[in-house]
Amino acid sequence: MQRVKPQIRKLRNSLAFNICALLSVALLLSWLVFQQIVQTKMAILNTAQSEKLLTAIALFNSELGSLRDILALLNSNSLLTENATLAYEEQRQQVQRYFADFGQAANHISQIRWINLSGQEMIRVDFSAHSTTIFAPSLLQNKSSRYYVTQGLKVEAPKVYLSPIDLNKEHGEVQRPFQITIRATLKTNQEQHLIQGVLVINYNLNSLFSDVRALSDEQVQLQIVNIDGFWLLHTSPEQEWGFMLEQPDHNISTANPGAWSLLHKDMVKMGKVINGELLSFNTIQLSKQYNVEGVTPKTSEIKAHNNKLFVLAISPPNILSNIHQQALLTSLVCGLVMASIGILVILRKYKFQQKLLALSEDIIKEKTDLDNLNTKLTSSLEQQQILQDSLVEAEKLSSLGMMVAGVAHELNTPLGGALMSVSSAQGTIQNLKNSIEQGLSKRTLDDSLMHIEEGLELANNNMTRAAGLVKSFKRMAIDRVSEESLEFHLQHLVQDIFLTLKPKFKTTKLTITHKIDPNILLNSRPGILSQVLENLIINAINHGFIENQSGQITLSAEQQDEQIVIKVTDTGCGISVDMREHIFEPFVTSARSKGNTGLGLYFVHQWITKILNGQLELHSEEGKGTEFVIYLPISFSSNDDKKEPECAKT
C-alpha cells in the first residue's frame, strides 16, 4: 500500500497538471475562435459596405454621365446658331420653344438657361411636374455673382463644367420643398452661337438621392458629405444641408472629428473602426475645377473649387457590439465543449494504459507491413524502369528499321535499272559474237556498239544514282551515331530525311514539301536533329490524319538573328485541348491500341531542350491542323559536362 500511494500521488499531480494545461489551451482556442468569428463577420460587413458604396457611386456616375450627354445634345441643335435671315427676337423665341420642348422630353431637368458674359439671363425656362414656364425678359435675373456662372465661363467648350451639389435658390431663398440641384454649363461663343455666354441646365437630383438613401439598411447606412464636411445625405434628414440652412454645427468635422481627419488623408478607405463605428468611404470627383480670381462667394454658397463628394458607408456601434457579443458567446461555448471533452479524455486515459500498449504493438506490426509494401513498390518501380528502357530501345529499332526499308526501296530502282542495262549489253555482245562467226556486217557492228554504249551509259547513270543514295544514307547513319557537333546545311539534312521517308508517303495520300533557304548553315548535331524532324513528320502521318485522308505536311525554316526557327506544319485534324496539356509527357498517346508507346514526342522534347540547347512550341486547333516550332541556336555550344539524357542514348 505504501508503494501504491506515491504512484497515486504522482497520478493525481499529473491529472491536475493536465487539467490546468487543458484549460489554458481551451482558453487560447476560445480566444482564437473569438478572433476568427469577429474577423469573418467584419469581413462580411466590409463586403456589404463595399457593395453599397460601389452601387451608390455607380448611380452617381450614371446620372452625371447622362447629364453631360443631355447638355451636349441640347447644344447640338442648329437653332442655337445665329441665323442672319431671322431677327434676333424671333430667333430667341424659337430657342425658348426649343428649350421648353427639350426639357419636357428629358427627365429631371428643372431649369434651362442661357446666360450672357455679364451674367444676365437671356433665356430661361423652368420645369415642374405639371407645368413649363417660359420667363419674360422683364423677369430674367442677373446671376453674375453665382459661382457656377464664373466657373462655367472659364471652361472652354466642348468641356462641360459640373457645379457642386446644393439646394436650388430663387431670389436668394432656398426653394421648398428642397430641390437638390447640380448645374451643368457649356460655354458658347459669338461666332457659332446666338448668344455669347454659357448654357446652364439645372438638374434635379432628388430621385438620385432617394435611390441612394434606399440603399441604407440596419447594418450599413450611407452618408454623403461635401468637401466642407456638411451632410448632403444623412440617416437623420435634419442633419442635412447645414451650409444652405445656416446650421454650421450640422457638420461631420464637429460630430466625428476622427472620421473627418480620415477623409482628408485618403481618397478611398475600407473597414476603419472609429468611435465604435465601422467606416468605409469613397470619393466622387464631379469635375475639374478652376480658381476664380476676384470673386468672394457668399457664405451660403459652396466654393467653386470644392467640387468633390465623399460617400460614406457606416455600420453603427450596436452592429459591431452585436458581432462581438455573438462571437464571445460562441467562443465560450466552444471553449466549454473543448474543456469538457478534454477532461473526459484525460480521465479515460488512465483506464486505457494497457490498451495503449496493445495499440503500440499493432502500430509496430503495421509499420512492418508498410516496410514490406514499400519494398514491393520499389521493385515495381525498377520493373517499370526496365520496361521504359525496353520501349526506348524498341523506338530506336523502329527508326533503324524505317531507315533500312528506305535504303532497300530507293536502291532497288537504280540497281534494277543497272542490272537490266548490263544484261542487255551482255545479250548484245553474245549476238555480236554469233554475227562474227556467221559473217559480220558493218551496220550490225555499228548497231551493236551503239546499243552496248547506251546500255553502259544507262548502267553508269543508275550506279551513280545508287552511289549517291548510299552516300546519303551513310551520312545519316554516321550522323546519328556521332555525338560531335558538325557544320552542315539544313537543306541537305532535310533532303536526306525526305529520301528515307519516301516509301512511307507512297502508301498515303499525303504530300510533303520543304521551304528552306539553301544558305542556312548550322553548327549542331545533325544526327539528333534528323531524328527530331523524322519523329515529327512520322507523328503527323500517324496521328494528324485519318486513314486515306488527303493532306499536306510542310517543313520550313528561317534565320532570325542568332537562331534558326524550324516549323513542321500539317493540315490534319489537330490536337484536342486535353491532349495538348500533356503532349510532351512520357507514354501519352491517342493511339495506344495501334501499338504506339507515347514516347515519340517525349524524346523529341528531350532531344531539343536537353541536347540541342533549343526550345519547342506547339500550336494546334482541332480541325485546323498542327504546327511544331523549333528554336535552335546557329552555333551549338558544346559542354563536356552536359551529358545526353538516357532516353536519347538508349
Side-chain angles (χ1 to χ4, degrees):
M1 187 66 179
Q2 295 297 326
R3 295 181 179 180
V4 174
K5 287 184 178 180
Q7 297 296 329
I8 294 174
R9 191 179 303 112
K10 184 177 180 180
L11 288 174
R12 288 177 179 174
N13 293 336
S14 176
L15 178 62
F17 174 79
N18 289 337
I19 290 176
C20 291
L22 175 64
L23 292 176
S24 299
V25 171
L27 184 61
L28 176 61
L29 291 176
S30 297
W31 182 80
L32 292 175
V33 169
F34 172 80
Q35 292 293 326
Q36 183 63 39
I37 293 174
V38 170
Q39 291 177 7
T40 301
K41 290 186 176 294
M42 292 292 282
I44 294 173
L45 200 56
N46 278 331
T47 301
Q49 288 187 346
S50 176
E51 290 176 352
K52 290 186 183 297
L53 282 177
L54 290 175
T55 303
I57 291 174
L59 290 173
F60 265 92
N61 289 336
S62 176
E63 200 74 12
L64 297 180
S66 298
L67 177 55
R68 291 186 178 93
D69 294 339
I70 288 171
L71 186 55
L73 181 61
L74 177 69
N75 182 54
S76 64
N77 197 295
S78 61
L79 287 175
L80 275 63
T81 306
E82 185 176 8
N83 189 340
T85 62
L86 295 176
Y88 171 81
E89 183 60 26
E90 182 180 355
Q91 189 172 357
R92 193 182 73 84
Q93 292 177 1
Q94 289 182 355
V95 173
Q96 281 182 335
R97 289 192 296 273
Y98 166 60
F99 283 179
D101 294 338
F102 189 91
Q104 290 173 350
N107 294 326
H108 308 310
I109 293 179
S110 58
Q111 283 184 2
I112 300 178
R113 291 174 289 174
W114 203 344
I115 300 174
N116 65 15
L117 294 177
S118 62
Q120 179 63 40
E121 293 178 338
M122 304 302 295
I123 299 175
R124 174 174 173 175
V125 183
D126 285 13
F127 305 92
S128 63
H130 306 290
S131 64
T132 300
T133 305
I134 299 176
F135 280 63
S138 60
L139 299 177
L140 298 177
Q141 305 174 36
N142 188 286
K143 299 292 184 178
S144 59
S145 62
R146 299 307 300 271
Y147 63 89
Y148 57 84
V149 175
T150 54
Q151 284 290 331
L153 290 172
K154 289 183 174 292
V155 180
E156 295 294 335
K159 292 182 180 179
V160 173
Y161 163 71
L162 296 180
S163 75
I165 298 173
D166 60 10
L167 300 178
N168 192 49
K169 299 175 68 175
E170 286 297 334
H171 303 289
E173 297 294 331
V174 175
Q175 274 188 307
R176 291 182 184 271
F178 292 157
Q179 193 173 99
I180 304 173
T181 303
I182 186 172
R183 298 164 187 85
T185 72
L186 182 66
K187 190 173 181 181
T188 59
N189 55 62
Q190 189 66 43
E191 290 80 12
Q192 298 179 356
H193 294 85
L194 177 65
I195 299 171
Q196 185 176 10
V198 288
L199 284 171
V200 182
I201 289 181
N202 284 24
Y203 198 72
N204 191 324
L205 297 180
N206 285 13
S207 176
L208 172 63
F209 272 65
S210 296
D211 292 341
V212 175
R213 192 187 301 275
L215 295 174
S216 297
D217 53 31
E218 292 182 358
Q219 289 193 330
V220 180
Q221 299 171 357
L222 293 182
Q223 298 180 6
I224 299 177
V225 177
N226 69 8
I227 195 67
D228 292 323
F230 290 99
W231 282 291
L232 308 187
L233 180 71
H234 194 277
T235 50
S236 300
E238 61 270 12
Q239 296 290 329
E240 299 172 354
W241 308 107
F243 66 101
M244 299 292 296
L245 305 177
E246 298 182 357
Q247 296 172 334
D249 292 337
H250 293 178
N251 192 296
I252 194 173
S253 62
T254 303
N256 195 341
W260 178 241
S261 175
L262 189 64
L263 292 178
H264 285 277
K265 290 181 181 179
D266 299 293
M267 296 288 289
V268 179
K269 195 72 175 180
M270 302 303 297
K272 185 71 174 180
V273 178
I274 298 178
N275 297 334
E277 298 178 333
L278 183 65
L279 170 67
S280 299
F281 71 88
N282 208 329
T283 306
I284 299 176
Q285 185 71 49
L286 296 180
S287 64
K288 184 177 179 181
Q289 301 303 311
Y290 302 86
N291 293 330
V292 183
E293 300 177 357
V295 176
T296 304
K298 297 180 181 179
T299 56
S300 62
E301 295 183 346
I302 302 176
K303 297 177 183 178
H305 62 278
N306 294 338
N307 203 6
K308 183 167 66 174
L309 298 178
F310 300 105
V311 182
L312 286 66
I314 298 175
S315 296
N318 65 302
I319 299 297
L320 272 65
S321 177
N322 290 337
I323 289 176
H324 285 82
Q325 290 176 5
Q326 293 175 7
L328 180 60
L329 179 61
T330 304
S331 63
L332 288 177
V333 171
C334 291
L336 289 174
V337 171
M338 287 185 288
S340 301
I341 294 174
I343 291 173
L344 289 175
V345 171
I346 291 173
L347 292 175
R348 290 173 64 88
K349 174 182 177 182
Y350 297 96
K351 297 180 181 180
F352 293 104
Q353 292 295 324
Q354 296 301 324
K355 291 184 179 181
L356 288 176
L357 292 175
L359 290 174
S360 298
E361 292 179 359
D362 292 340
I363 291 174
I364 293 173
K365 182 180 178 181
E366 289 179 0
K367 183 177 182 300
T368 303
D369 293 340
L370 289 174
D371 290 340
N372 294 334
L373 181 60
N374 186 49
T375 302
K376 292 180 180 180
L377 289 175
T378 302
S379 176
S380 297
L381 287 174
E382 292 175 352
Q383 292 178 1
Q384 182 179 0
Q385 184 62 42
I386 294 172
L387 176 61
Q388 181 175 344
D389 294 341
S390 299
L391 290 174
V392 171
E393 185 65 26
E395 191 78 14
K396 286 284 190 176
L397 291 174
S398 174
S399 177
L400 179 61
M402 183 177 295
M403 182 180 292
V404 171
V407 171
H409 184 275
E410 292 301 317
L411 288 178
N412 183 60
T413 300
L415 290 178
L419 182 62
M420 290 179 60
S421 300
V422 171
S423 298
S424 177
Q426 287 177 341
T428 302
I429 292 173
Q430 184 62 44
N431 293 334
L432 183 60
K433 288 181 179 180
N434 295 334
S435 298
I436 292 174
E437 293 175 357
Q438 298 174 4
L440 179 65
S441 66
K442 186 177 184 305
R443 180 175 180 179
T444 300
L445 177 62
D446 291 340
D447 290 343
S448 298
L449 291 176
M450 182 179 66
H451 186 70
I452 293 171
E453 184 179 1
E454 289 176 351
L456 291 176
E457 183 179 357
L458 183 59
N460 182 63
N461 291 339
N462 280 289
M463 294 303 293
T464 301
R465 181 183 173 190
L469 291 172
V470 170
K471 182 178 180 181
S472 173
F473 290 127
K474 180 181 178 181
R475 181 168 59 247
M476 286 190 64
I478 292 174
D479 287 346
R480 291 199 177 183
V481 299
S482 174
E483 296 187 0
E484 297 181 357
S485 60
L486 302 172
E487 191 173 67
F488 61 94
H489 285 89
L490 182 60
Q491 189 186 64
H492 296 166
L493 178 73
V494 172
Q495 290 172 344
D496 290 344
I497 294 173
F498 279 19
L499 277 174
T500 302
L501 296 177
K502 188 175 180 181
K504 189 80 174 177
F505 278 89
K506 287 186 176 180
T507 61
T508 69
K509 294 182 180 181
L510 305 177
T511 58
I512 184 169
T513 58
H514 70 79
K515 301 176 182 178
I516 299 177
D517 188 343
N519 297 320
I520 293 180
L521 191 64
L522 274 171
N523 187 339
S524 186
R525 297 179 63 173
I528 298 298
L529 182 56
S530 69
Q531 285 181 304
V532 166
L533 297 179
E534 181 180 304
N535 277 23
L536 290 177
I537 294 171
I538 293 174
N539 184 76
I541 297 172
N542 293 338
H543 302 283
F545 301 89
I546 62 176
E547 188 175 356
N548 294 324
Q549 179 182 355
S550 299
Q552 175 76 29
I553 300 175
T554 304
L555 197 154
S556 61
E558 62 178 355
Q559 182 173 341
Q560 295 181 358
D561 298 330
E562 295 299 319
Q563 66 178 1
I564 299 298
V565 181
I566 304 173
K567 298 180 181 180
V568 180
T569 308
D570 67 67
T571 60
C573 55
I575 303 173
S576 66
V577 176
D578 294 339
M579 182 66 70
R580 289 201 296 269
E581 295 179 357
H582 308 284
I583 195 70
F584 297 122
E585 296 177 7
F587 307 108
V588 174
T589 179
S590 61
R592 194 174 304 279
S593 60
K594 298 180 180 179
N596 294 305
T597 63
L599 291 173
L601 291 181
Y602 168 69
F603 288 156
V604 167
H605 185 269
Q606 293 294 305
W607 285 329
I608 292 174
T609 58
K610 304 299 183 183
I611 300 178
L612 300 180
N613 299 335
Q615 297 178 354
L616 177 62
E617 292 181 359
L618 168 65
H619 306 289
S620 182
E621 185 175 348
E622 288 190 72
K624 296 185 178 180
T626 302
E627 179 180 72
F628 289 91
V629 184
I630 304 170
Y631 299 90
L632 296 178
I634 293 179
S635 179
F636 178 80
S637 298
S638 178
N639 188 352
D640 294 337
D641 296 331
K642 184 169 183 178
K643 301 299 182 181
E644 182 177 334
E646 293 300 325
C647 64
K649 292 181 178 181
T650 305

